[in-house]
């Protein structure tokens, strides 16, 4: 009997232990381990990276209470539990994102294997699956390679306004005489490159590396090429394209267009043998090159020409005879600091099948992709040697079905492929991209078929992290168009358009648009890189350009375009909890604010502006810009309002960085600017600002300049102006950045919805009704002068996408990174359903609701280690049920209060199904 009692006691202990641990082990998991917001990055540019992970749990209200990180120098040590680089031990903390490395100092080339485990209020996880990162070359002395290139054109090239410069092919053979343990290639190819080892292309990136101002910064990429090498004879090769380094319009407008020189490269291949010895192959004068290869020209504006008859098979293999090639030349470095590329590479991210092909005339066909896109066309063709197929691109067609190219200015946007003959050939360009829906095909041997062509969509490899859909077909189409417009203009930097002779990284286009984009794509690293571009373009005096990198010399000194620098830093903190950009750029941001204040502020009014409320709907459908002064907003009003708003962000940043003197300074500036602004622009008798445009009233109201006692009267004027415009939009780029949230915050989400869902001019829906598949540059893009009339531009989106997620879906962060959420969708008559999700750093947030005459049903998902305040529309807290049960009976839901017709509930992580019956 005693033995039986002992067994029973042991069984009880085991059962209780499992309740505390076995249950948790089965339900608490870890996923998405990231280093610097990247998956298993190679060659990072810091020795103090930040680590993040996501928790999974089947239990509601799961919160991390502690974690342990283990980092080892080999996978074997990690498996054995030996954290020879860092064993954090158990750290009591709820933080699971952006955890700074605190182990042994990391050196160049360090390879780090890591895993993590966590403890939560619902139990502990097991160790995560292992992850990895490696450190790049952190010090200039790590680089032994030499810059090689050729600083001249050849007989078939043209170094002129319409530049034609063939690709340069470089190669070197070498021998490896021992067993290989590890091989790593560090490479820079300016402007673009492809890397080959023993005949195989390395990586799936395209248009590499990320563009910069090469006199300030040069990005290098890191590759593990261990599996591509062999003991014995090997070869490494690169192809260099022009990109932004050899500019598209050289020797033309030298005061405007920045030039860098001819393509060049830097390569260092480091081989570690199993016996511990090492061998390094570097770019130097021992390499050979030719410019007389198949890529005859590559120009981002004008296209790529490829002559397959000039291919040299096997050129990147060890047994190729390069004795007839030229000796590589040592050339001057571009001047910029070598930095690891820490933003995602550009890749072919999607494909589009054409929807129709029609013959225009003899030997000329028009291919319709059905979608305006950015990338290139891949073609299959079979014909005779030296047959030429010409591909010309456009976004729209003329009434006679010919390409409409007037809005492309002088961009030639033409690819030419010369066949080598024989078997079927497949080709696409590699060093250019196009913005297009339609392709004119001429010279194609035989009859081209749809199956012969494929559109390849090219943009930065940013994961899509947002989904948004409503019961309104027009709004869904607008979102579709926005999605395609956003991805089309990610090219290692945000460009304004992908098709004409511009494609420039204008700051003003992304001031607020970047926030909306961050709900759709994981663009944290992308915009952190762009902040570096902006900082590197700042003059010693403090000026920031309108375009950065400053490929165009536009330093016009205004508040709205350069102010994007500050707005972006705030966006990265709020959306991704990335404080690093604020810390890194604070001094430069403050320098610019001081520069503008000292140079242009008089009596606390900023007297300098450049663009006004750019591209308001004009009074005539043929105009680009309105000439009617009543439609335009005073530039000084806009500049001063922005100085106030940006001062508030600088006050916030200074508080975060513990700079009390700066906090006091910016707070005082806000107060002084607000007083001067109201004294100059506000009419107390009419409650109107300046000439009473929506933008003139909206900026001070939304920014907080308007005295509280006058807010409702000013808002009433905004509504009246919108009503005068038949409830259509009347704002340009600046006003539209705050319009939808402003209307909603002050109680008129219905009016914002009306503007969003309109289908008549001017509206986003008007674009869709006129056949647009992306967003236009102008509200009247179908009728305006073609001189500035892109059909794939996103600057007019303003805060629309932000509003979709924050106010229609009701997904907002309280402070930074969505650890604490506010779930508060605007309930609008006629909007029957919304289905949205967003992948935060902590995990997936969902907001999916239906609103009928009989009930409101809302599915909410809050990720582990997060919490939310949920605002359920109801007149009575007791009417709210969750999964059929009264909320008062559910321990995971805490009623907080009733507020403005909403039951405010506090919930932890998990899935919830709320219902209110009418």
């Amino acid at each position: 009997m005693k033995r039986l009692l002992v067994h029973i006691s042991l069984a009880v202990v085991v059962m209780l232990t499992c309740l505390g641990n076995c249950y948790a082990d089965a339900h608490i998991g870890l996923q998405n381990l990231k280093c610097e917001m990247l998956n298993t990055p190679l060659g990072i540019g810091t020795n103090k990276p930040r680590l993040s992970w996501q928790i999974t749990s089947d239990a509601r209200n799961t919160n991390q209470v502690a974690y342990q990180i283990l980092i080892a120098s080999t996978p074997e040590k990690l498996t054995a539990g030996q954290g020879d680089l860092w064993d954090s031990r158990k750290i009591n903390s709820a933080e699971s994102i952006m955890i700074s490395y605190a182990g042994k100092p990391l050196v160049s080339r360090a390879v780090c294997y890591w895993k993590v485990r966590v403890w939560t209020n619902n139990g502990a996880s097991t160790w995560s699956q292992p992850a990895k990162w490696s450190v790049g070359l952190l010090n200039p002395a790590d680089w032994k390679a030499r810059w090689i290139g050729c600083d001249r054109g050849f007989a078939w090239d043209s170094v002129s306004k319409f530049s034609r410069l063939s690709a340069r092919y470089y190669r070197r053979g070498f021998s490896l005489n021992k067993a290989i343990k590890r091989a790593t290639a560090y490479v820079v190819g300016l402007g673009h490159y492809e890397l080959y080892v023993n005949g195989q292309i390395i990586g799936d990136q395209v248009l590499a590396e990320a563009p910069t101002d090469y006199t300030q910064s040069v990005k290098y990429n890191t590759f593990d090429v261990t599996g591509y090498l062999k003991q014995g004879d090997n070869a490494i090769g690169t192809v260099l394209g022009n990109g932004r380094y050899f500019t598209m319009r050289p020797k033309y407008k030298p005061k405007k267009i920045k030039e860098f020189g001819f393509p060049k490269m830097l390569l260092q291949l480091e081989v570690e043998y199993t016996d511990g010895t090492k061998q390094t192959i570097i770019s130097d004068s021992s390499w050979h090159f030719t410019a007389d290869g198949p890529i005859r020209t590559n120009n981002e504006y004008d296209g790529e020409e490829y002559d397959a008859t000039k291919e040299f098979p096997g050129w990147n293999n060890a047994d190729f005879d390069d004795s007839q090639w030229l000796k590589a030349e040592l050339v001057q470095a571009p001047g910029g600091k070598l930095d690891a590329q820490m933003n995602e590479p550009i890749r072919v991210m999607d494909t589009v099948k054409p929807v129709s092909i029609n013959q225009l005339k003899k030997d000329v066909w028009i291919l319709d992709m059905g979608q305006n896109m950015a990338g290139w066309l891949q073609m299959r063709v079979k014909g005779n040697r030296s047959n030429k197929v010409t591909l010309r691109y456009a976004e729209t067609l003329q009434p006679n079905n010919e390409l409409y190219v007037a809005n492309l200015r002088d961009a030639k946007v033409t690819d030419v492929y010369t066949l080598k003959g024989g078997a079927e050939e497949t080709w696409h360009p590699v060093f250019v991209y196009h913005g297009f829906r339609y392709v004119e095909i001429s010279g194609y041997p035989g009859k081209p078929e749809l199956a012969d062509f494929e559109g390849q969509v090219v943009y930065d490899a940013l994961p899509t992290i947002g989904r948004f859909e409503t019961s309104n077909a027009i709004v869904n189409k607008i979102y579709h168009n926005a999605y395609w417009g956003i991805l089309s203009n990610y090219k290692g930097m945000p460009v304004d358009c992908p098709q004409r002779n511009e494609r420039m990284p204008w700051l003003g286009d992304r001031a607020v648009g970047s926030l909306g984009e961050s709900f759709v794509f994981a663009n944290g690293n992308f915009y952190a890189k762009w902040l570096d571009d902006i900082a590197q373009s700042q003059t010693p005096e403090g000026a920031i350009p309108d375009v950065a990198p400053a490929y165009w010399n536009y330093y016009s000194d205004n508040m709205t375009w350069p102010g994007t620098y500050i707005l972006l830093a705030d966006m990265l903190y709020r959306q991704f909890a990335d404080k690093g950009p604020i810390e890194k750029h604070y001094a430069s941001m403050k320098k610019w604010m001081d520069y503008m204040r000292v140079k242009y502020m008089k009596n606390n009014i900023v007297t300098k502006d450049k663009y006004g409320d750019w591209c308001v709907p004009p009074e005539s459908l043929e105009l680009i810009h309105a000439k009617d002064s009543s439609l335009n907003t005073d530039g000084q009003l806009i500049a001063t309002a922005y100085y106030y708003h940006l001062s508030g962000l600088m006050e916030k940043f200074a508080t975060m960085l513990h700079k009390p003197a700066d906090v006091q300074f910016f707070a005082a500036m806000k107060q002084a600017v607000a007083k001067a602004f109201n004294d100059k622009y506000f009419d107390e008798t009419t409650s109107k600002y300046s000439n009473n445009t929506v933008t003139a009233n909206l900026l001070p109201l939304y920014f907080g300049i308007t005295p509280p006692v006058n807010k409702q009267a000013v808002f009433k004027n905004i509504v009246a102006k919108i009503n005068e415009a038949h409830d259509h939009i009347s704002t340009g780029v600046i006003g539209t950045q705050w319009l939808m949230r402003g209307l909603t915050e002050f109680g008129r989400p219905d009016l914002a919805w009306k503007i969003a869902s309109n289908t008549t001019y001017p509206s986003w829906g008007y674009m869709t009704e006129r056949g647009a598949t992306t967003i236009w540059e102008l509200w009247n893009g179908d009728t305006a002068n073609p001189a500035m009339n892109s059909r794939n531009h996103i600057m007019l989106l303003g805060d629309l996408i932000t509003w979709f997620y924050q106010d229609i879906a009701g997904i907002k962060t309280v402070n930074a990174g969505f650890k604490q959420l506010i779930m508060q969708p605007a309930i609008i008559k006629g909007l029957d359903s919304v289905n949205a999700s967003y992948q935060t750093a902590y995990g997936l947030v969902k907001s999916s609701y239906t609103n009928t005459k009989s009930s409101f049903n809302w599915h909410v998902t809050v990720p582990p280690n997060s919490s939310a305040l949920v605002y359920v529309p109801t007149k009575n807290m007791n009417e709210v049920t969750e999964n059929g049960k009264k909320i008062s009976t559910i321990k995971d839901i805490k009623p907080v209060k009733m507020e403005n017709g909403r039951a405010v509930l506090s919930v932890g992580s998990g899935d919830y199904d709320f219902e209110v019956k009418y």
Side-chain angles (χ1 to χ4, degrees):
M1 183 67 181
K2 185 179 291 185
R3 183 177 295 174
L4 177 62
L5 289 173
V6 169
H7 283 302
I8 292 172
S9 299
L10 286 172
V12 170
V13 170
V14 170
M15 181 179 70
L16 291 174
T17 302
C18 283
L19 286 174
N21 294 298
C22 300
Y23 171 84
D25 290 348
H27 295 278
I28 304 296
L30 294 164
Q31 64 182 13
N32 291 339
L33 274 65
K34 293 188 176 183
C35 173
E36 287 296 315
M37 296 193 284
L38 297 167
N39 293 314
T40 61
L42 298 179
I44 66 171
T46 176
N47 58 6
K48 293 183 178 179
R50 298 163 300 172
L51 308 177
S52 304
W53 56 86
Q54 290 180 350
I55 300 169
T56 62
S57 173
D58 290 341
R60 282 181 172 177
N61 194 31
T62 297
N63 292 296
Q64 178 184 296
V65 296
Y67 66 82
Q68 181 181 4
I69 297 172
L70 202 66
I71 305 179
S73 58
T74 68
E76 293 78 16
K77 288 181 179 179
L78 187 69
T79 300
Q82 300 173 21
D84 61 322
L85 295 178
W86 187 28
D87 182 349
S88 72
R89 308 296 179 182
K90 184 177 181 179
I91 295 177
N92 294 323
S93 171
E95 296 300 320
S96 58
I97 63 174
M98 298 292 185
I99 308 298
S100 294
Y101 174 84
K104 292 180 180 178
L106 298 178
V107 297
S108 298
R109 308 175 181 84
V111 181
C112 304
Y113 302 87
W114 71 290
K115 59 185 178 180
V116 62
R117 61 176 174 175
V118 301
W119 291 262
T120 77
N121 59 324
N122 287 322
S125 74
T126 58
W127 285 106
S128 68
Q129 290 296 309
K132 171 187 173 182
W133 84 83
S134 68
V135 181
L137 303 181
L138 301 178
N139 308 303
D142 294 325
W143 286 93
K144 308 303 180 185
R146 308 286 299 276
W147 284 97
I148 60 175
C150 178
D151 288 337
R152 66 184 185 278
F154 290 84
W156 51 86
D157 294 326
S158 174
V159 183
S160 59
K161 174 184 175 180
F162 294 98
S163 66
R164 292 179 56 87
L165 193 72
S166 60
R168 281 96 190 277
Y169 295 75
Y170 289 82
R171 59 162 276 117
R172 181 188 162 178
F174 58 94
S175 294
L176 302 176
N177 300 317
K178 302 178 184 178
I180 302 163
K181 177 183 177 182
R182 179 186 298 126
T184 305
Y186 305 93
V187 59
V188 183
L190 304 178
H192 296 314
Y193 72 89
E194 288 187 322
L195 174 65
Y196 294 86
V197 174
N198 289 331
Q200 298 184 68
I201 193 166
I202 305 300
D204 60 357
Q205 71 288 338
V206 299
L207 302 177
E209 64 285 313
T212 57
D213 179 339
Y214 306 102
T215 65
Q216 301 296 317
S217 173
V218 176
K219 302 297 183 185
Y220 69 87
N221 300 137
T222 302
F223 299 97
D224 181 350
V225 297
T226 308
Y228 297 89
L229 295 172
K230 63 182 186 295
Q231 193 169 342
D233 292 337
N234 295 267
I236 189 166
T238 63
V239 189
L240 296 188
N242 301 325
R244 294 298 176 102
Y245 195 78
F246 184 79
T247 185
M248 296 81 73
R249 294 290 181 262
K251 314 305 177 188
Y252 175 68
K253 296 185 178 180
K255 292 184 179 179
K256 172 184 175 180
I257 300 171
K258 188 165 188 175
E259 297 187 41
F260 300 98
F262 287 88
K264 57 187 64 176
M265 63 164 281
L266 185 74
L267 186 145
Q268 188 157 308
L269 172 61
E270 299 184 350
V271 181
E272 181 181 350
Y273 294 116
T274 54
D275 65 2
T277 60
K278 298 179 181 180
Q279 183 176 345
T280 302
I281 291 89
I282 63 171
S283 53
D284 58 17
S285 58
S286 68
W287 287 55
H288 288 79
F289 89 99
T290 182
D292 194 10
I295 300 179
R296 307 307 295 169
T297 181
N298 59 104
N299 180 310
E300 186 177 318
Y301 291 165
D302 298 334
E304 185 165 306
E305 297 181 15
Y306 188 97
D307 185 348
T309 68
K310 298 189 74 66
E311 290 178 347
F312 15 74
W315 71 273
N316 42 28
N317 285 316
D319 57 357
F320 182 78
D321 180 5
D322 59 12
S323 60
Q324 300 301 308
W325 286 25
L326 302 172
K327 296 283 286 185
E329 302 172 13
L330 299 181
V331 295
Q332 187 175 355
K337 179 179 178 290
L338 283 167
D339 291 315
Q341 180 174 326
M342 299 284 284
N343 56 301
E344 293 83 352
I346 300 173
R347 293 191 175 109
V348 174
M349 296 294 289
D350 201 355
T351 58
V352 175
K353 301 297 184 183
V355 296
S356 70
I357 185 167
N358 295 294
Q359 189 165 12
L360 183 64
K361 53 188 175 183
K362 184 181 179 181
D363 201 34
V364 178
W365 303 77
I366 298 294
L367 185 73
D368 181 3
M369 304 305 298
Q371 172 65 54
N372 201 3
M373 56 172 279
W376 48 62
L377 190 70
Q378 179 169 282
M379 172 181 64
R380 294 187 312 181
V381 61
K382 184 176 182 181
N384 297 324
R385 185 177 179 84
S386 298
N387 283 163
K388 286 188 178 182
V389 181
T390 299
L391 308 173
R392 198 160 64 106
Y393 300 83
E395 297 180 297
T396 56
L397 298 178
Q398 299 180 58
N400 64 358
N401 290 324
E402 293 182 358
L403 296 184
Y404 178 78
V405 295
N407 69 328
L408 306 184
R409 301 172 180 165
D410 68 11
K412 296 182 179 180
V413 295
T414 300
D415 295 335
V416 179
Y417 180 73
T418 302
L419 281 69
K420 57 178 171 280
E424 183 178 82
E425 303 171 43
T426 300
W427 177 81
H428 63 72
V430 295
F431 291 137
V432 305
Y433 68 91
H434 302 284
F436 67 101
R437 173 174 172 172
Y438 300 96
V439 186
E440 178 191 272
I441 305 165
S442 58
Y444 191 94
K447 181 183 178 183
E449 303 289 347
L450 289 178
D452 295 325
F453 303 95
E454 177 182 82
Q456 298 191 339
V457 184
V458 173
Y459 63 97
D460 296 64
L462 310 181
T464 299
I465 56 175
R467 295 286 185 272
F468 180 84
E469 185 178 16
T470 76
S471 55
N472 186 292
I474 291 297
V475 168
N476 295 343
K477 180 63 175 173
I478 292 168
Y479 183 84
H480 167 96
N481 290 2
Y483 174 86
W484 278 91
I486 293 166
L487 66 84
S488 293
N489 290 294
Y490 282 157
K491 293 295 178 290
M493 58 186 176
V495 296
D496 62 332
C497 58
Q499 77 296 88
R500 70 186 180 211
N501 65 346
E502 187 165 356
R503 313 181 193 200
M504 287 294 158
W506 289 94
L507 273 66
D509 294 18
R510 307 300 175 119
V512 171
S514 57
L515 174 59
E517 295 165 29
S518 73
F519 282 101
V520 185
F521 296 101
N523 60 16
N525 290 317
F526 177 85
Y527 276 115
K529 179 265 182 188
W530 198 38
L531 282 179
D532 291 342
D533 293 335
I534 296 170
Q536 290 160 8
S537 68
Q538 187 172 33
T539 68
E541 296 76 22
I544 290 174
D546 304 337
V547 173
Y551 299 127
W552 285 0
N553 184 30
Y554 283 177
Y555 287 82
S556 67
D557 285 351
N558 63 91
M559 291 302 303
T560 47
W561 264 239
T564 300
Y565 189 30
I566 295 172
L567 293 169
L568 274 176
D570 185 57
M571 180 277 286
L572 292 174
Y573 177 67
R574 289 186 60 80
Q575 296 296 101
F576 302 105
D578 189 356
K579 186 181 176 182
I582 293 173
E583 297 170 330
K584 184 175 185 178
H585 296 283
Y586 179 84
S588 296
M589 293 187 289
K590 182 184 176 185
K591 183 176 184 179
W592 173 69
M593 291 287 285
D594 289 345
Y595 168 82
M596 293 298 294
R597 174 178 54 82
V598 171
K599 192 168 184 179
Y600 298 112
M601 185 175 282
K602 296 180 181 179
N603 299 320
N604 295 314
I605 297 293
V606 180
T607 60
K608 184 69 162 59
D609 181 61
K610 171 69 173 179
Y611 301 106
D613 193 14
W614 188 250
C615 292
V616 300
E619 63 274 19
S620 169
L621 290 178
E622 291 73 35
L623 291 174
I624 293 175
H625 298 294
K627 297 180 180 180
D628 184 345
S629 61
S630 68
L631 302 178
N632 293 312
T633 303
D634 186 326
Q636 293 188 19
L637 178 151
I638 293 172
T640 306
Y642 263 68
Y643 199 95
Y644 174 92
H645 181 61
L646 297 176
S647 292
L649 291 178
M650 292 299 293
E651 180 186 4
K652 169 185 168 180
F653 297 167
T655 301
M656 292 168 57
L657 301 180
H658 308 292
K659 297 178 181 291
D662 285 358
V663 172
Q664 186 176 3
F665 173 80
F666 285 113
M669 280 303 307
K670 282 178 59 183
Q671 186 175 3
V673 169
K675 183 180 186 307
F677 186 96
N678 286 319
D679 288 347
K680 182 176 178 65
Y681 296 112
F682 187 59
D683 185 336
E684 292 191 4
T685 61
T686 62
S687 298
K688 298 174 181 177
Y689 282 92
S690 189
N691 63 340
N692 195 38
T693 64
V694 170
T695 298
N697 289 313
L698 178 62
L699 295 185
L701 179 66
Y702 192 77
F703 290 167
I705 299 172
T706 304
V709 69
N710 302 117
K711 285 186 175 181
Q712 284 305 316
V714 172
F715 184 65
K716 186 177 179 180
N717 285 327
I718 291 173
V719 172
K721 289 295 292 184
I722 294 173
N723 293 157
E724 284 180 24
H726 307 289
D727 294 349
H728 280 65
I729 201 159
S730 63
T731 49
V733 169
I734 301 303
T736 308
Q737 292 174 348
W738 317 97
L739 178 65
M740 309 302 280
R741 290 173 296 169
L743 290 174
T744 302
E745 183 174 314
F746 285 90
R748 291 299 307 273
D750 59 315
L751 185 55
W753 179 256
K754 179 68 168 62
I755 291 171
S757 57
N758 279 330
T759 58
T760 52
Y761 174 82
S763 67
W764 298 288
Y766 173 80
M767 302 177 193
T768 70
E769 292 296 282
R770 293 303 178 102
T773 60
T774 44
I775 302 296
W776 295 345
E777 183 176 17
L778 301 173
W779 297 109
N780 53 330
D782 58 332
T783 58
N785 188 308
M788 193 192 87
N789 197 353
S790 159
R791 300 299 180 91
N792 196 347
H793 236 78
I794 60 171
M795 67 181 185
L796 289 183
L797 281 173
D799 67 349
L800 180 67
I801 305 302
T802 300
W803 181 73
F804 280 164
Y805 280 91
Q806 290 187 344
D807 292 301
I808 298 302
I811 301 173
K812 293 182 181 178
T813 182
V814 174
N815 36 45
F818 294 86
K819 185 166 179 60
Q820 295 176 295
L821 295 114
I822 290 178
M823 308 285 284
Q824 187 178 5
I827 307 303
I828 298 167
K829 185 178 180 181
L831 177 57
D832 299 329
S833 68
V834 172
N835 185 8
S837 65
Y838 175 55
Q839 184 73 235
T840 74
Y842 294 94
L844 191 66
V845 176
K846 288 184 180 180
S847 175
S848 178
Y849 64 82
T850 58
N851 191 22
T852 68
K853 293 180 179 180
S854 59
S855 66
F856 176 81
N857 297 82
W858 188 16
H859 176 82
V860 170
T861 298
V862 178
N865 212 27
S866 297
S867 62
L869 285 178
V870 178
Y871 288 69
V872 182
T874 183
K875 296 179 180 178
N876 188 335
M877 182 84 72
N878 295 325
E879 293 178 349
V880 182
T881 61
E882 195 280 315
N883 201 21
K885 299 177 182 178
K886 291 287 186 181
I887 59 171
S888 58
T889 66
I890 303 172
K891 66 181 180 65
D892 299 311
I893 301 174
K894 304 290 190 297
V896 178
K897 61 182 175 179
M898 287 294 301
E899 179 180 294
N900 298 326
R902 304 286 184 119
V904 184
L905 311 174
S906 176
V907 303
S909 65
D911 292 299
Y912 300 86
D913 288 289
F914 297 104
E915 183 177 43
V916 176
K917 292 184 178 180
Y918 300 141

